[in-house]
Amino acid sequence: MSKWYEEAVFYHMYPIGMTGAPRQNTQEEVTHRFPELMEWLPYVQSLGCTAIYIGPLFESTSHGYDTRDYKLVDRRLGDNEDFKAFVAKAHELGIKIVVDGVFNHTGREFFAFKDIQQNRENSPYCSWFKGINFGWNSPYNDGFGYEAWRNCFELVNLNYWEPKVREYILSVIGFWIDEFDIDGIRLDCADCLEFSFMEEMRRYTNEKKADFWLMGEVIHGDYSRYVSADKLDSVTNYELHKGLYSGHNDHNYFEIAHTIRREFDANGGIYKGLKLYSFVDNHDVDRIASKLNVPGHIYPVHTLLYTLPGIPSLYYGSEWGIQGRKEGANDDPLRPAVDLKEALEHVPDPKLLQWVKTLGRIHKEQPALSDGRYQELLLTNRQYAFARILGDEGVIVAVNNDDKDAYLSIRVPMQGKTYTSLLNGSVIKEENGALQVKLAPNESFLAAMR
């Protein structure tokens, strides 16, 4: 039987951005913005989402990834009691909560780094960070050097070969489980963490909470190095993310199909059996509505997000067609403030919102979309059809990225089945081992196979 996260549809919230909190944390007082975030919960439920990835939440200096205090909710958002109430309300609605674990690096205001600044060689925390060298200097003129994440010197890399660092971070994870009852952690920069620490973290969380989800941010490389019974449950599928938008921009479904074959094909897929985290955009990349050359492609893109192998995730507002591009190193356009009530009264693309709700319903009702094996049925540059098969049942999916009608003859994966549209309930008859389907531009076909 699948664990909750293998059947989940995620909603991704970047709270500092969506609440319009100040980008620099210079305040002394706590601002209670969680009541505003709480208003999103019934809406998230209405989309068919069953889990929320929210973060970063740790008390930080600016964007949230320069942690000051791992055991405090960022004061720009609220206090620990506010977040506790948020999680409790989400759980009442059947929504799991996963938070950002920013464990590769800290901010410069983190207590251990400040102690080194003050006590230099006499600090007991010199071994907590990578590359501490009192014969060097830093761009901040600290009088010593250190290793920074991608040379961003506001982010100081932790040293996981120091046992006290591991002990401290595990205590942080335990605190968030015990204090807030969170259901999982998304590990920021997981590809920078030591594998032995991932194994230690897996053992620790298994003891703390059954079905606790560990998902890692991994952009390049072999995802199977990170996903295993003794390490992480899932990682971000950036390879599929790239294919989902460029495969449409280039009118090239071969790119997407090749990615899926390579990753998940029943005969030789390198990630066969793994449940990777699928997305079309997030807080680090341009919004999907800004990346697509043809606006209408946003419909088949979301169809594939929900129906190809993987755990689908929506980034807040993208289900309405919100646009946003990076401006150099500035990520703020990807992370806008949103007044939910006002946004829903003036939805940029209400048809897309309704389509996403439909896909959420179908994903929940069709177990094959979570657990079914993948089988390709038809492939051209502009049309693509496949099945997700679970036992002797399944779902047939077809999409059209062309600017004109397409007439598809989709071979059926099993003989003698009944095919019922998941959109209008009509029965599609099998003719000589195939389904004859007409798709308008950017239209999708989804049918249950029984």
Side-chain angles (χ1 to χ4, degrees), residues 170 173 187 197-205 214:
L170 291 178
I173 295 171
L187 295 164
F197 175 66
M198 292 182 201
E199 293 168 356
E200 195 171 345
M201 184 167 42
R202 175 80 278 164
R203 291 191 296 270
Y204 180 81
T205 56
L214 291 177

Side-chain angles (χ1 to χ4, degrees), residues 357-400:
K357 288 184 176 182
T358 298
L359 291 169
R361 171 185 61 78
I362 292 172
H363 192 278
K364 183 176 183 179
E365 294 173 352
Q366 302 297 324
L369 294 179
S370 299
D371 297 319
R373 64 179 174 86
Y374 167 84
Q375 183 175 334
E376 187 178 300
L377 302 178
L378 179 149
L379 180 62
T380 71
N381 282 325
R382 299 183 180 229
Q383 291 81 39
Y384 178 29
F386 56 89
R388 299 294 305 282
I389 302 168
L390 187 61
D392 59 356
E393 299 183 347
V395 176
I396 308 294
V397 180
V399 286
N400 177 26

Side-chain angles (χ1 to χ4, degrees), residues 129-354:
F129 299 96
K130 292 182 177 179
I132 296 292
N133 188 325
F134 293 100
W136 296 351
N137 201 356
S138 74
Y140 287 94
N141 200 30
D142 292 297
F144 61 90
Y146 55 87
E147 183 180 305
W149 180 76
R150 294 187 179 177
N151 287 324
C152 298
F153 279 84
E154 70 273 20
L155 305 175
V156 192
N157 285 343
L158 285 165
N159 172 27
Y160 277 90
W161 295 114
E162 168 54 64
K164 290 183 179 179
V165 169
R166 296 184 179 218
E167 181 182 328
Y168 175 78
I169 294 298
L170 291 178
S171 77
V172 167
I173 295 171
F175 174 81
W176 280 74
I177 295 173
D178 294 339
E179 187 74 9
F180 304 112
D181 195 25
I182 61 169
D183 302 291
I185 289 176
R186 174 264 193 191
L187 295 164
D188 184 59
C189 302
D191 50 353
C192 299
L193 295 172
E194 301 294 340
F195 285 109
S196 60
F197 175 66
M198 292 182 201
E199 293 168 356
E200 195 171 345
M201 184 167 42
R202 175 80 278 164
R203 291 191 296 270
Y204 180 81
T205 56
N206 281 350
E207 293 174 359
K208 290 292 290 183
K209 190 171 188 178
D211 287 352
F212 192 81
W213 191 53
L214 291 177
M215 187 272 282
E217 179 196 26
V218 177
I219 298 175
H220 305 294
D222 180 357
Y223 298 148
S224 66
R225 297 177 66 210
Y226 304 87
V227 182
S228 62
D230 63 344
K231 291 191 278 292
L232 306 183
D233 297 296
S234 186
V235 296
T236 49
N237 194 347
Y238 267 90
E239 183 177 346
L240 178 59
H241 157 258
K242 190 269 178 185
L244 285 174
Y245 70 83
S246 64
H248 284 85
N249 283 346
D250 297 337
H251 290 282
N252 182 18
Y253 276 144
F254 282 90
E255 178 182 2
I256 300 173
H258 171 75
T259 296
I260 296 298
R261 273 189 233 129
R262 176 180 178 275
E263 292 189 332
F264 301 115
D265 191 77
N267 298 311
I270 60 174
Y271 306 137
K272 182 177 65 174
L274 303 186
K275 301 291 180 71
L276 304 186
Y277 184 80
S278 303
F279 58 96
V280 294
D281 52 15
N282 61 30
H283 66 299
D284 287 327
V285 299
D286 293 344
R287 292 272 181 170
I288 186 64
S290 296
K291 280 193 284 203
L292 293 173
N293 296 336
V294 178
H297 284 169
I298 203 164
Y299 295 95
V301 161
H302 279 87
T303 301
L304 296 178
L305 172 68
Y306 274 80
T307 58
L308 287 171
I311 302 168
S313 174
L314 292 168
Y315 183 44
Y316 79 96
S318 287
E319 71 275 15
W320 312 323
I322 279 184
Q323 300 210 5
R325 290 184 180 276
K326 284 175 176 275
E327 296 173 352
N330 179 19
D331 290 325
D332 286 351
L334 313 177
R335 309 167 178 180
V338 174
D339 181 298
L340 180 62
K341 183 178 179 182
E342 181 179 330
L344 292 178
E345 289 175 355
H346 304 92
V347 175
D349 191 340
K351 183 182 173 186
L352 175 62
L353 176 58
Q354 190 56 50

Side-chain angles (χ1 to χ4, degrees), residues 35-199:
E36 178 184 339
L37 292 169
M38 198 99 72
E39 294 176 1
W40 286 73
L41 294 176
Y43 165 71
V44 169
Q45 184 189 46
S46 77
L47 295 175
C49 294
T50 56
I52 288 173
Y53 152 43
I54 182 170
L57 293 174
F58 303 145
E59 172 79 0
S60 66
T61 301
S62 60
H63 43 59
Y65 292 97
D66 46 358
T67 306
R68 285 180 184 168
D69 192 327
Y70 282 97
K71 296 186 179 181
L72 280 181
V73 168
D74 197 297
R75 69 189 64 196
R76 291 169 289 176
L77 301 174
D79 57 25
N80 287 14
E81 292 302 312
D82 290 340
F83 184 58
K84 195 180 298 183
F86 178 86
V87 176
K89 181 62 176 178
H91 285 171
E92 284 179 20
L93 297 173
I95 298 171
K96 302 287 189 180
I97 297 295
V98 172
V99 303
D100 238 329
V102 189
F103 300 143
N104 176 66
H105 47 257
T106 75
R108 289 171 46 83
E109 296 183 270
F110 180 58
F111 79 91
F113 188 78
K114 290 173 69 175
D115 192 274
I116 299 173
Q117 290 175 314
Q118 181 176 344
N119 297 308
R120 294 181 56 82
E121 292 92 340
N122 297 319
S123 171
Y125 300 106
C126 290
S127 60
W128 277 43
F129 299 96
K130 292 182 177 179
I132 296 292
N133 188 325
F134 293 100
W136 296 351
N137 201 356
S138 74
Y140 287 94
N141 200 30
D142 292 297
F144 61 90
Y146 55 87
E147 183 180 305
W149 180 76
R150 294 187 179 177
N151 287 324
C152 298
F153 279 84
E154 70 273 20
L155 305 175
V156 192
N157 285 343
L158 285 165
N159 172 27
Y160 277 90
W161 295 114
E162 168 54 64
K164 290 183 179 179
V165 169
R166 296 184 179 218
E167 181 182 328
Y168 175 78
I169 294 298
L170 291 178
S171 77
V172 167
I173 295 171
F175 174 81
W176 280 74
I177 295 173
D178 294 339
E179 187 74 9
F180 304 112
D181 195 25
I182 61 169
D183 302 291
I185 289 176
R186 174 264 193 191
L187 295 164
D188 184 59
C189 302
D191 50 353
C192 299
L193 295 172
E194 301 294 340
F195 285 109
S196 60
F197 175 66
M198 292 182 201
E199 293 168 356

